[in-house]
Amino acid sequence: MSKRRQEIIDRALKLFNEKGFHDVSIKQIADSLSISPGNLTYYFTKKTDLLKAIQHQLIQETSIDIMPSGYITLYHFEEIFKSYSQIQAKYHFYYNNLQYIFKTFPEITKSYRIITRKRFRDAKLLINYYIKTGRLNPENEKINYAYFIRTIWMISVFWKTYSLMTADTFRDSPSQLDILWSNAIPLMTEKGYHEYIEIIKFSVSEVIKS
Amino acid sequence: MSKRRQEIIDRALKLFNEKGFHDVSIKQIADSLSISPGNLTYYFTKKTDLLKAIQHQLIQETSIDIMPSGYITLYHFEEIFKSYSQIQAKYHFYYNNLQYIFKTFPEITKSYRIITRKRFRDAKLLINYYIKTGRLNPENEKINYAYFIRTIWMISVFWKTYSLMTADTFRDSPSQLDILWSNAIPLMTEKGYHEYIEIIKFSVSEVIKS
C-alpha cells in the first residue's frame, strides 16, 4: 500500500473519531492533510470507500487468533477482552455507528459476518481447551456454550452503547470485565474457580496497589 | 392530549419506522396527513420534538411494573421479554438509532436513564421473589445478580443490532429467549430448574404442535 494511501486512512480515522462519521467531509480530510480533494479522491472516490478501507484494517486487527500456543490460563479470557477494548477505542466512531453501517453497506456487513463466524469458532476452541484442562464444566443440559459465546460477544461489542445509555444509573457501576467474568464463573469447575480467584487476587496491579 | 396531536405522533412513528428517522421530514409527515406543515409545527416545532413525544410514549409503555400480584412462576421471566420485544418492534426506528439518539439528545438520555434505573430495581425485586420462593439461588461469591441484570438488559436491548450484525452466521442461530434462559439456568435451584423444564415442555405452542 502506498504511504499516502495509509496517511489518508489514518487521518480519516482520526477525524471520524473526533467529529463523527457523518460530520466529516472528503474536503475536510483533504484540507487537514494539506492536499487537494482531487488528490484524495484519486485514492478514495467516496467517503464510503474510506469506511471500507478502515473496516478492512479493523478486521485485520480483530482477526488475530484467539488461541495462543503453549499452556493457557483463564487469564487469557481477560486478555482477549482487554485487547478488543483497545480496538474499540481505536475505532470508536465505527462502534458508535454500528446500526447505520450495517444497514447501509451490505458488503461491509458480509465481511463482518465472516469474521464473526471465525471468532465464534475460535471461542469454541478456547472453551474446549478449558474443558479438557478441567477449568470449565463440559456442556450439559444446563450449559450451552454456543449461547454463552453469543452473550459474551454482545457484552463486548455493545459495551460502549450500554455505557452511553445507562451511565451513572447506579453509583457502583460494574466494569465490563466484572460482568464478563460473572457470566463465566457459574460454568467453571472448582479448579477453574480457584484459578480465577488467584487471577483477581494476584494480578500485577492489585499486588502493586496493596 | 388533543386528537390531532396523537394523530401526528402515530403517523410520525409509522413513517420513521418505514423510512428511517433521518429520511423523513416534517413536510412529509404533514403531507401524509393532508395537513399543512404550519399546522403540524403548531404542535411540534421541530422533528426532535416529535422524537421526544414518541420516546415519552415509549417510556410510558415500558414502565409498566415488572411485578404482577399473586403467585408468579418462572414463566413470568419469559413474558417480560415477550412484551418488551413487542415494544421494540412497535418502535423499531428508535432501537435502530440508539447511538445517534443518546449522543444527540441529553434530555432524552436523562429520562431514559431514570427509567432504566427503575427497571433494574424492579428486576431485583423479581429476583428476590424467585430467591425467597426457592427458584433462584441466593447471591453468593459466585453469583452477582446486579451483573446478571445488566447482562440480560444488554441481550434484550441490543438483540436487533446483534441480529443485523451476525444474521445467518450459523444455520441454527438461537432465539433471544434461548440465550436469556441459558443465562438464568446456572443460577436456578433444582426446584427452579424443574419449573423451567415444565415451562418449555408444556408451553401451549409446544403441546399444540406435538
Side-chain angles (χ1 to χ4, degrees):
Chain A
M1 192 189 313
S2 81
K3 191 168 161 261
R4 175 51 51 91
R5 199 183 127 88
Q6 187 61 50
E7 267 172 13
I8 297 170
I9 291 174
D10 294 345
R11 189 59 58 95
L13 174 58
K14 187 168 179 288
L15 292 174
F16 292 161
N17 278 336
E18 280 168 15
K19 300 171 197 243
F21 179 73
H22 293 284
D23 292 330
V24 176
S25 65
I26 285 279
K27 188 178 174 308
Q28 280 174 290
I29 302 166
D31 286 353
S32 156
L33 286 163
S34 305
I35 62 176
S36 70
N39 192 340
L40 195 154
T41 53
Y42 169 78
Y43 295 95
F44 300 98
T45 315
K46 303 183 303 292
K47 217 169 82 175
T48 57
D49 296 329
L50 269 164
L51 182 61
K52 278 181 208 160
I54 291 172
Q55 149 143 333
H56 181 73
Q57 189 177 300
L58 183 161
I59 283 184
Q60 297 292 111
E61 292 181 31
T62 315
S63 60
I64 292 161
D65 275 350
I66 279 180
M67 290 290 283
S69 57
Y71 182 75
I72 317 168
T73 68
L74 277 180
Y75 184 59
H76 187 57
F77 178 76
E78 187 164 317
E79 285 176 309
I80 290 168
F81 296 101
K82 283 182 175 163
S83 76
Y84 190 56
S85 280
Q86 281 167 4
I87 290 176
Q88 287 185 322
K90 180 171 172 189
Y91 296 92
H92 66 82
F93 90 90
Y94 184 90
Y95 290 90
N96 284 335
N97 287 281
L98 290 173
Q99 282 131 330
Y100 164 77
I101 291 170
F102 283 83
K103 273 189 169 300
T104 320
F105 308 108
E107 251 183 273
I108 285 184
T109 306
K110 206 179 152 191
S111 61
Y112 195 91
R113 282 178 187 167
I114 291 169
I115 191 73
T116 304
R117 203 177 304 149
K118 183 180 179 320
R119 282 190 85 72
F120 284 5
R121 278 206 205 98
D122 286 354
K124 196 65 184 33
L125 289 178
L126 183 60
I127 285 168
N128 287 344
Y129 175 84
Y130 284 144
I131 293 172
K132 277 200 183 142
T133 54
R135 277 91 131 245
L136 285 182
N137 287 309
E139 195 149 83
N140 59 41
E141 50 164 14
K142 292 186 186 178
I143 299 180
N144 183 312
Y145 285 111
Y147 300 175
F148 171 70
I149 290 168
R150 281 157 175 82
T151 297
I152 292 297
W153 188 91
M154 282 187 249
I155 296 170
S156 151
V157 172
F158 300 124
W159 184 260
K160 287 275 170 212
T161 316
Y162 157 81
S163 304
L164 175 66
M165 290 175 76
T166 66
D168 305 325
T169 287
F170 292 99
R171 252 160 299 146
D172 54 344
S173 302
S175 75
Q176 186 187 10
L177 281 172
D178 288 338
I179 297 190
L180 289 166
W181 277 122
S182 81
N183 275 280
I185 289 168
L187 314 179
M188 288 177 189
T189 61
E190 279 311 301
K191 179 182 170 186
Y193 185 67
H194 286 306
E195 189 172 298
Y196 161 76
I197 293 293
E198 295 288 297
I199 286 168
I200 54 162
K201 223 180 357 191
F202 293 112
S203 80
V204 175
S205 55
E206 288 304 316
V207 171
I208 287 174
K209 254 195 282 172
S210 60
Chain B
M1 192 189 313
S2 81
K3 191 167 160 263
R4 174 51 50 92
R5 199 182 127 88
Q6 187 62 50
E7 268 172 12
I8 296 170
I9 292 174
D10 293 345
R11 188 59 58 96
L13 174 58
K14 189 170 177 288
L15 291 174
F16 292 163
N17 278 336
E18 280 169 13
K19 301 170 197 244
F21 179 73
H22 293 284
D23 291 331
V24 176
S25 65
I26 286 279
K27 190 178 171 308
Q28 279 173 291
I29 301 165
D31 286 353
S32 155
L33 286 163
S34 305
I35 62 174
S36 70
N39 192 340
L40 194 154
T41 53
Y42 169 79
Y43 295 94
F44 300 98
T45 315
K46 302 182 304 292
K47 217 169 82 175
T48 56
D49 297 328
L50 268 163
L51 183 61
K52 277 181 208 161
I54 290 171
Q55 150 143 333
H56 181 74
Q57 189 177 301
L58 184 160
I59 284 183
Q60 296 294 110
E61 293 181 30
T62 315
S63 60
I64 292 162
D65 275 348
I66 279 181
M67 289 291 282
S69 56
Y71 182 75
I72 317 169
T73 67
L74 277 181
Y75 183 59
H76 187 57
F77 178 76
E78 186 163 317
E79 284 176 309
I80 291 168
F81 296 101
K82 283 181 175 165
S83 76
Y84 190 56
S85 279
Q86 280 166 6
I87 290 175
Q88 287 185 323
K90 180 172 171 188
Y91 296 93
H92 67 81
F93 90 91
Y94 184 90
Y95 290 91
N96 284 335
N97 287 280
L98 290 173
Q99 283 130 330
Y100 165 78
I101 291 170
F102 283 82
K103 274 191 168 298
T104 320
F105 307 108
E107 250 183 272
I108 285 184
T109 306
K110 205 178 153 191
S111 62
Y112 195 92
R113 283 179 187 167
I114 291 169
I115 192 73
T116 304
R117 201 178 306 150
K118 183 181 178 319
R119 283 192 83 72
F120 284 4
R121 278 206 205 96
D122 286 353
K124 195 65 184 34
L125 289 178
L126 183 61
I127 285 167
N128 287 344
Y129 175 84
Y130 285 145
I131 293 171
K132 276 199 183 140
T133 53
R135 278 92 131 245
L136 284 182
N137 287 309
E139 196 149 84
N140 59 42
E141 50 164 15
K142 293 186 186 178
I143 299 180
N144 183 312
Y145 286 110
Y147 301 175
F148 171 70
I149 290 168
R150 281 158 174 82
T151 298
I152 292 296
W153 188 92
M154 282 188 249
I155 296 170
S156 151
V157 172
F158 300 124
W159 183 260
K160 287 274 171 214
T161 316
Y162 156 82
S163 305
L164 176 66
M165 290 175 76
T166 66
D168 305 324
T169 289
F170 292 98
R171 252 161 297 146
D172 54 344
S173 303
S175 76
Q176 187 185 10
L177 281 172
D178 289 337
I179 296 189
L180 289 166
W181 277 121
S182 81
N183 275 279
I185 290 168
L187 313 178
M188 289 178 188
T189 60
E190 279 310 301
K191 180 183 170 186
Y193 185 66
H194 286 306
E195 190 172 299
Y196 161 76
I197 293 293
E198 295 288 296
I199 287 168
I200 53 161
K201 224 186 343 197
F202 294 111
S203 80
V204 176
S205 55
E206 288 304 316
V207 171
I208 287 173
K209 254 195 283 171
S210 60

PDB file of all heavy atoms in Angstrom, chain A residues 22 97 100, chain B residues 15-17 19-25 28 47 51 93 96-101 104-105:
ATOM      1  N   HIS A  22     -20.543  11.171  10.194  1.00  0.00           N
ATOM      2  CA  HIS A  22     -21.453  11.965   9.358  1.00  0.00           C
ATOM      3  C   HIS A  22     -21.019  13.416   9.226  1.00  0.00           C
ATOM      4  O   HIS A  22     -21.414  14.109   8.294  1.00  0.00           O
ATOM      5  CB  HIS A  22     -22.876  11.904   9.919  1.00  0.00           C
ATOM      6  CG  HIS A  22     -23.460  10.542   9.818  1.00  0.00           C
ATOM      7  ND1 HIS A  22     -23.931  10.030   8.634  1.00  0.00           N
ATOM      8  CD2 HIS A  22     -23.618   9.563  10.737  1.00  0.00           C
ATOM      9  CE1 HIS A  22     -24.373   8.799   8.828  1.00  0.00           C
ATOM     10  NE2 HIS A  22     -24.187   8.488  10.098  1.00  0.00           N
ATOM     11  N   ASN A  97     -21.465   3.721  15.301  1.00  0.00           N
ATOM     12  CA  ASN A  97     -22.340   3.788  14.124  1.00  0.00           C
ATOM     13  C   ASN A  97     -22.708   2.408  13.600  1.00  0.00           C
ATOM     14  O   ASN A  97     -22.993   2.256  12.427  1.00  0.00           O
ATOM     15  CB  ASN A  97     -21.641   4.579  13.006  1.00  0.00           C
ATOM     16  CG  ASN A  97     -21.584   6.065  13.293  1.00  0.00           C
ATOM     17  OD1 ASN A  97     -22.565   6.771  13.114  1.00  0.00           O
ATOM     18  ND2 ASN A  97     -20.442   6.527  13.778  1.00  0.00           N
ATOM     19  N   TYR A 100     -26.085   2.104  11.686  1.00  0.00           N
ATOM     20  CA  TYR A 100     -26.010   2.802  10.399  1.00  0.00           C
ATOM     21  C   TYR A 100     -25.161   2.016   9.395  1.00  0.00           C
ATOM     22  O   TYR A 100     -25.576   1.770   8.264  1.00  0.00           O
ATOM     23  CB  TYR A 100     -25.449   4.213  10.605  1.00  0.00           C
ATOM     24  CG  TYR A 100     -24.993   4.849   9.321  1.00  0.00           C
ATOM     25  CD1 TYR A 100     -25.915   5.381   8.429  1.00  0.00           C
ATOM     26  CD2 TYR A 100     -23.635   4.897   8.984  1.00  0.00           C
ATOM     27  CE1 TYR A 100     -25.500   5.939   7.223  1.00  0.00           C
ATOM     28  CE2 TYR A 100     -23.209   5.450   7.790  1.00  0.00           C
ATOM     29  CZ  TYR A 100     -24.149   5.974   6.910  1.00  0.00           C
ATOM     30  OH  TYR A 100     -23.740   6.502   5.733  1.00  0.00           O
TER      31      TYR A 100
ATOM     32  N   LEU B  15     -43.978   6.539   9.836  1.00  0.00           N
ATOM     33  CA  LEU B  15     -43.045   6.927   8.770  1.00  0.00           C
ATOM     34  C   LEU B  15     -41.587   6.712   9.190  1.00  0.00           C
ATOM     35  O   LEU B  15     -40.763   6.268   8.396  1.00  0.00           O
ATOM     36  CB  LEU B  15     -43.295   8.379   8.356  1.00  0.00           C
ATOM     37  CG  LEU B  15     -44.627   8.634   7.632  1.00  0.00           C
ATOM     38  CD1 LEU B  15     -44.846  10.133   7.406  1.00  0.00           C
ATOM     39  CD2 LEU B  15     -44.687   7.902   6.283  1.00  0.00           C
ATOM     40  N   PHE B  16     -41.262   7.044  10.434  1.00  0.00           N
ATOM     41  CA  PHE B  16     -39.884   6.802  10.926  1.00  0.00           C
ATOM     42  C   PHE B  16     -39.555   5.309  10.825  1.00  0.00           C
ATOM     43  O   PHE B  16     -38.446   4.933  10.425  1.00  0.00           O
ATOM     44  CB  PHE B  16     -39.725   7.262  12.381  1.00  0.00           C
ATOM     45  CG  PHE B  16     -39.798   8.753  12.595  1.00  0.00           C
ATOM     46  CD1 PHE B  16     -40.030   9.278  13.871  1.00  0.00           C
ATOM     47  CD2 PHE B  16     -39.619   9.653  11.537  1.00  0.00           C
ATOM     48  CE1 PHE B  16     -40.088  10.650  14.082  1.00  0.00           C
ATOM     49  CE2 PHE B  16     -39.687  11.028  11.740  1.00  0.00           C
ATOM     50  CZ  PHE B  16     -39.920  11.530  13.023  1.00  0.00           C
ATOM     51  N   ASN B  17     -40.505   4.469  11.198  1.00  0.00           N
ATOM     52  CA  ASN B  17     -40.270   3.027  11.126  1.00  0.00           C
ATOM     53  C   ASN B  17     -40.080   2.567   9.687  1.00  0.00           C
ATOM     54  O   ASN B  17     -39.238   1.734   9.405  1.00  0.00           O
ATOM     55  CB  ASN B  17     -41.454   2.261  11.745  1.00  0.00           C
ATOM     56  CG  ASN B  17     -41.354   2.175  13.262  1.00  0.00           C
ATOM     57  OD1 ASN B  17     -40.268   2.276  13.833  1.00  0.00           O
ATOM     58  ND2 ASN B  17     -42.488   1.991  13.918  1.00  0.00           N
ATOM     59  N   LYS B  19     -39.236   4.486   6.866  1.00  0.00           N
ATOM     60  CA  LYS B  19     -38.173   5.081   6.046  1.00  0.00           C
ATOM     61  C   LYS B  19     -36.925   5.426   6.843  1.00  0.00           C
ATOM     62  O   LYS B  19     -35.909   5.832   6.265  1.00  0.00           O
ATOM     63  CB  LYS B  19     -38.692   6.360   5.369  1.00  0.00           C
ATOM     64  CG  LYS B  19     -39.894   6.126   4.467  1.00  0.00           C
ATOM     65  CD  LYS B  19     -40.506   7.456   4.018  1.00  0.00           C
ATOM     66  CE  LYS B  19     -41.905   7.232   3.481  1.00  0.00           C
ATOM     67  NZ  LYS B  19     -42.051   7.555   2.058  1.00  0.00           N
ATOM     68  N   GLY B  20     -36.956   5.325   8.128  1.00  0.00           N
ATOM     69  CA  GLY B  20     -35.813   5.719   8.957  1.00  0.00           C
ATOM     70  C   GLY B  20     -35.959   7.164   9.407  1.00  0.00           C
ATOM     71  O   GLY B  20     -36.391   8.018   8.640  1.00  0.00           O
ATOM     72  N   PHE B  21     -35.590   7.420  10.638  1.00  0.00           N
ATOM     73  CA  PHE B  21     -35.749   8.751  11.228  1.00  0.00           C
ATOM     74  C   PHE B  21     -35.128   9.865  10.379  1.00  0.00           C
ATOM     75  O   PHE B  21     -35.731  10.915  10.169  1.00  0.00           O
ATOM     76  CB  PHE B  21     -35.131   8.757  12.633  1.00  0.00           C
ATOM     77  CG  PHE B  21     -35.198  10.083  13.338  1.00  0.00           C
ATOM     78  CD1 PHE B  21     -36.404  10.553  13.830  1.00  0.00           C
ATOM     79  CD2 PHE B  21     -34.063  10.874  13.486  1.00  0.00           C
ATOM     80  CE1 PHE B  21     -36.481  11.788  14.486  1.00  0.00           C
ATOM     81  CE2 PHE B  21     -34.131  12.110  14.143  1.00  0.00           C
ATOM     82  CZ  PHE B  21     -35.335  12.566  14.633  1.00  0.00           C
ATOM     83  N   HIS B  22     -33.929   9.608   9.856  1.00  0.00           N
ATOM     84  CA  HIS B  22     -33.198  10.664   9.134  1.00  0.00           C
ATOM     85  C   HIS B  22     -33.811  10.980   7.769  1.00  0.00           C
ATOM     86  O   HIS B  22     -33.573  12.053   7.227  1.00  0.00           O
ATOM     87  CB  HIS B  22     -31.731  10.261   8.952  1.00  0.00           C
ATOM     88  CG  HIS B  22     -30.993  10.206  10.251  1.00  0.00           C
ATOM     89  ND1 HIS B  22     -30.574  11.330  10.908  1.00  0.00           N
ATOM     90  CD2 HIS B  22     -30.634   9.158  11.038  1.00  0.00           C
ATOM     91  CE1 HIS B  22     -29.979  10.987  12.032  1.00  0.00           C
ATOM     92  NE2 HIS B  22     -29.995   9.685  12.140  1.00  0.00           N
ATOM     93  N   ASP B  23     -34.572  10.056   7.217  1.00  0.00           N
ATOM     94  CA  ASP B  23     -35.072  10.240   5.858  1.00  0.00           C
ATOM     95  C   ASP B  23     -36.528  10.706   5.813  1.00  0.00           C
ATOM     96  O   ASP B  23     -37.158  10.681   4.756  1.00  0.00           O
ATOM     97  CB  ASP B  23     -34.897   8.934   5.055  1.00  0.00           C
ATOM     98  CG  ASP B  23     -33.425   8.649   4.797  1.00  0.00           C
ATOM     99  OD1 ASP B  23     -32.644   9.616   4.707  1.00  0.00           O
ATOM    100  OD2 ASP B  23     -33.053   7.469   4.706  1.00  0.00           O
ATOM    101  N   VAL B  24     -37.056  11.148   6.933  1.00  0.00           N
ATOM    102  CA  VAL B  24     -38.436  11.652   6.952  1.00  0.00           C
ATOM    103  C   VAL B  24     -38.408  13.110   7.401  1.00  0.00           C
ATOM    104  O   VAL B  24     -37.768  13.441   8.405  1.00  0.00           O
ATOM    105  CB  VAL B  24     -39.320  10.815   7.921  1.00  0.00           C
ATOM    106  CG1 VAL B  24     -40.719  11.403   8.021  1.00  0.00           C
ATOM    107  CG2 VAL B  24     -39.374   9.358   7.485  1.00  0.00           C
ATOM    108  N   SER B  25     -39.063  13.986   6.644  1.00  0.00           N
ATOM    109  CA  SER B  25     -39.099  15.408   7.005  1.00  0.00           C
ATOM    110  C   SER B  25     -40.457  15.770   7.603  1.00  0.00           C
ATOM    111  O   SER B  25     -41.451  15.042   7.419  1.00  0.00           O
ATOM    112  CB  SER B  25     -38.854  16.272   5.764  1.00  0.00           C
ATOM    113  OG  SER B  25     -39.914  16.086   4.850  1.00  0.00           O
ATOM    114  N   GLN B  28     -43.038  15.851   4.926  1.00  0.00           N
ATOM    115  CA  GLN B  28     -43.576  14.535   4.529  1.00  0.00           C
ATOM    116  C   GLN B  28     -44.654  14.051   5.502  1.00  0.00           C
ATOM    117  O   GLN B  28     -45.650  13.468   5.085  1.00  0.00           O
ATOM    118  CB  GLN B  28     -42.449  13.493   4.480  1.00  0.00           C
ATOM    119  CG  GLN B  28     -41.621  13.531   3.205  1.00  0.00           C
ATOM    120  CD  GLN B  28     -40.426  12.597   3.297  1.00  0.00           C
ATOM    121  OE1 GLN B  28     -39.495  12.855   4.065  1.00  0.00           O
ATOM    122  NE2 GLN B  28     -40.455  11.510   2.553  1.00  0.00           N
ATOM    123  N   LYS B  47     -38.511  18.365  14.341  1.00  0.00           N
ATOM    124  CA  LYS B  47     -38.598  16.902  14.270  1.00  0.00           C
ATOM    125  C   LYS B  47     -38.183  16.287  15.600  1.00  0.00           C
ATOM    126  O   LYS B  47     -38.723  15.260  16.020  1.00  0.00           O
ATOM    127  CB  LYS B  47     -37.695  16.382  13.139  1.00  0.00           C
ATOM    128  CG  LYS B  47     -38.265  15.210  12.378  1.00  0.00           C
ATOM    129  CD  LYS B  47     -37.479  14.898  11.116  1.00  0.00           C
ATOM    130  CE  LYS B  47     -36.261  14.065  11.390  1.00  0.00           C
ATOM    131  NZ  LYS B  47     -35.559  13.647  10.146  1.00  0.00           N
ATOM    132  N   LEU B  51     -39.641  13.352  18.174  1.00  0.00           N
ATOM    133  CA  LEU B  51     -38.857  12.254  18.756  1.00  0.00           C
ATOM    134  C   LEU B  51     -39.082  12.195  20.267  1.00  0.00           C
ATOM    135  O   LEU B  51     -39.267  11.114  20.840  1.00  0.00           O
ATOM    136  CB  LEU B  51     -37.368  12.454  18.426  1.00  0.00           C
ATOM    137  CG  LEU B  51     -36.397  11.366  18.898  1.00  0.00           C
ATOM    138  CD1 LEU B  51     -36.725  10.016  18.285  1.00  0.00           C
ATOM    139  CD2 LEU B  51     -34.948  11.750  18.560  1.00  0.00           C
ATOM    140  N   PHE B  93     -37.624   2.005  14.752  1.00  0.00           N
ATOM    141  CA  PHE B  93     -36.701   3.058  14.306  1.00  0.00           C
ATOM    142  C   PHE B  93     -35.874   3.576  15.485  1.00  0.00           C
ATOM    143  O   PHE B  93     -34.702   3.909  15.330  1.00  0.00           O
ATOM    144  CB  PHE B  93     -37.470   4.220  13.647  1.00  0.00           C
ATOM    145  CG  PHE B  93     -37.876   5.290  14.628  1.00  0.00           C
ATOM    146  CD1 PHE B  93     -37.036   6.384  14.873  1.00  0.00           C
ATOM    147  CD2 PHE B  93     -39.082   5.208  15.324  1.00  0.00           C
ATOM    148  CE1 PHE B  93     -37.402   7.371  15.799  1.00  0.00           C
ATOM    149  CE2 PHE B  93     -39.444   6.179  16.236  1.00  0.00           C
ATOM    150  CZ  PHE B  93     -38.601   7.266  16.479  1.00  0.00           C
ATOM    151  N   ASN B  96     -33.147   1.262  16.307  1.00  0.00           N
ATOM    152  CA  ASN B  96     -32.148   1.286  15.237  1.00  0.00           C
ATOM    153  C   ASN B  96     -31.277   2.531  15.283  1.00  0.00           C
ATOM    154  O   ASN B  96     -30.356   2.683  14.482  1.00  0.00           O
ATOM    155  CB  ASN B  96     -32.825   1.230  13.866  1.00  0.00           C
ATOM    156  CG  ASN B  96     -33.316  -0.153  13.546  1.00  0.00           C
ATOM    157  OD1 ASN B  96     -32.792  -1.135  14.058  1.00  0.00           O
ATOM    158  ND2 ASN B  96     -34.335  -0.232  12.709  1.00  0.00           N
ATOM    159  N   ASN B  97     -31.604   3.460  16.176  1.00  0.00           N
ATOM    160  CA  ASN B  97     -30.864   4.727  16.217  1.00  0.00           C
ATOM    161  C   ASN B  97     -30.388   5.061  17.628  1.00  0.00           C
ATOM    162  O   ASN B  97     -30.216   6.224  17.957  1.00  0.00           O
ATOM    163  CB  ASN B  97     -31.760   5.867  15.711  1.00  0.00           C
ATOM    164  CG  ASN B  97     -31.969   5.818  14.215  1.00  0.00           C
ATOM    165  OD1 ASN B  97     -31.110   6.237  13.448  1.00  0.00           O
ATOM    166  ND2 ASN B  97     -33.102   5.287  13.798  1.00  0.00           N
ATOM    167  N   LEU B  98     -30.185   4.025  18.425  1.00  0.00           N
ATOM    168  CA  LEU B  98     -29.848   4.260  19.826  1.00  0.00           C
ATOM    169  C   LEU B  98     -28.635   5.170  19.985  1.00  0.00           C
ATOM    170  O   LEU B  98     -28.668   6.149  20.726  1.00  0.00           O
ATOM    171  CB  LEU B  98     -29.584   2.927  20.529  1.00  0.00           C
ATOM    172  CG  LEU B  98     -30.814   2.030  20.741  1.00  0.00           C
ATOM    173  CD1 LEU B  98     -30.397   0.676  21.285  1.00  0.00           C
ATOM    174  CD2 LEU B  98     -31.805   2.700  21.684  1.00  0.00           C
ATOM    175  N   GLN B  99     -27.559   4.837  19.278  1.00  0.00           N
ATOM    176  CA  GLN B  99     -26.343   5.630  19.464  1.00  0.00           C
ATOM    177  C   GLN B  99     -26.550   7.083  19.067  1.00  0.00           C
ATOM    178  O   GLN B  99     -26.140   7.988  19.778  1.00  0.00           O
ATOM    179  CB  GLN B  99     -25.171   5.020  18.680  1.00  0.00           C
ATOM    180  CG  GLN B  99     -24.593   3.797  19.373  1.00  0.00           C
ATOM    181  CD  GLN B  99     -24.458   2.622  18.432  1.00  0.00           C
ATOM    182  OE1 GLN B  99     -25.260   2.507  17.488  1.00  0.00           O
ATOM    183  NE2 GLN B  99     -23.488   1.774  18.656  1.00  0.00           N
ATOM    184  N   TYR B 100     -27.202   7.283  17.910  1.00  0.00           N
ATOM    185  CA  TYR B 100     -27.482   8.651  17.462  1.00  0.00           C
ATOM    186  C   TYR B 100     -28.325   9.402  18.493  1.00  0.00           C
ATOM    187  O   TYR B 100     -28.000  10.520  18.898  1.00  0.00           O
ATOM    188  CB  TYR B 100     -28.192   8.616  16.091  1.00  0.00           C
ATOM    189  CG  TYR B 100     -28.835   9.929  15.740  1.00  0.00           C
ATOM    190  CD1 TYR B 100     -28.073  10.995  15.273  1.00  0.00           C
ATOM    191  CD2 TYR B 100     -30.206  10.114  15.913  1.00  0.00           C
ATOM    192  CE1 TYR B 100     -28.658  12.216  14.984  1.00  0.00           C
ATOM    193  CE2 TYR B 100     -30.805  11.324  15.624  1.00  0.00           C
ATOM    194  CZ  TYR B 100     -30.031  12.370  15.158  1.00  0.00           C
ATOM    195  OH  TYR B 100     -30.613  13.576  14.883  1.00  0.00           O
ATOM    196  N   ILE B 101     -29.420   8.782  18.933  1.00  0.00           N
ATOM    197  CA  ILE B 101     -30.348   9.452  19.852  1.00  0.00           C
ATOM    198  C   ILE B 101     -29.658   9.820  21.161  1.00  0.00           C
ATOM    199  O   ILE B 101     -29.754  10.949  21.645  1.00  0.00           O
ATOM    200  CB  ILE B 101     -31.593   8.555  20.117  1.00  0.00           C
ATOM    201  CG1 ILE B 101     -32.448   8.444  18.844  1.00  0.00           C
ATOM    202  CG2 ILE B 101     -32.426   9.108  21.273  1.00  0.00           C
ATOM    203  CD1 ILE B 101     -33.550   7.400  18.906  1.00  0.00           C
ATOM    204  N   THR B 104     -27.105  12.619  20.798  1.00  0.00           N
ATOM    205  CA  THR B 104     -27.576  13.910  20.318  1.00  0.00           C
ATOM    206  C   THR B 104     -28.522  14.620  21.283  1.00  0.00           C
ATOM    207  O   THR B 104     -28.573  15.833  21.304  1.00  0.00           O
ATOM    208  CB  THR B 104     -28.277  13.720  18.938  1.00  0.00           C
ATOM    209  OG1 THR B 104     -27.527  12.773  18.172  1.00  0.00           O
ATOM    210  CG2 THR B 104     -28.355  15.023  18.179  1.00  0.00           C
ATOM    211  N   PHE B 105     -29.286  13.842  22.087  1.00  0.00           N
ATOM    212  CA  PHE B 105     -30.317  14.477  22.906  1.00  0.00           C
ATOM    213  C   PHE B 105     -30.133  14.190  24.397  1.00  0.00           C
ATOM    214  O   PHE B 105     -30.631  13.180  24.899  1.00  0.00           O
ATOM    215  CB  PHE B 105     -31.709  14.024  22.447  1.00  0.00           C
ATOM    216  CG  PHE B 105     -31.924  14.220  20.984  1.00  0.00           C
ATOM    217  CD1 PHE B 105     -31.960  13.136  20.123  1.00  0.00           C
ATOM    218  CD2 PHE B 105     -32.048  15.502  20.454  1.00  0.00           C
ATOM    219  CE1 PHE B 105     -32.145  13.320  18.753  1.00  0.00           C
ATOM    220  CE2 PHE B 105     -32.225  15.689  19.092  1.00  0.00           C
ATOM    221  CZ  PHE B 105     -32.275  14.595  18.236  1.00  0.00           C
TER     222      PHE B 105
END
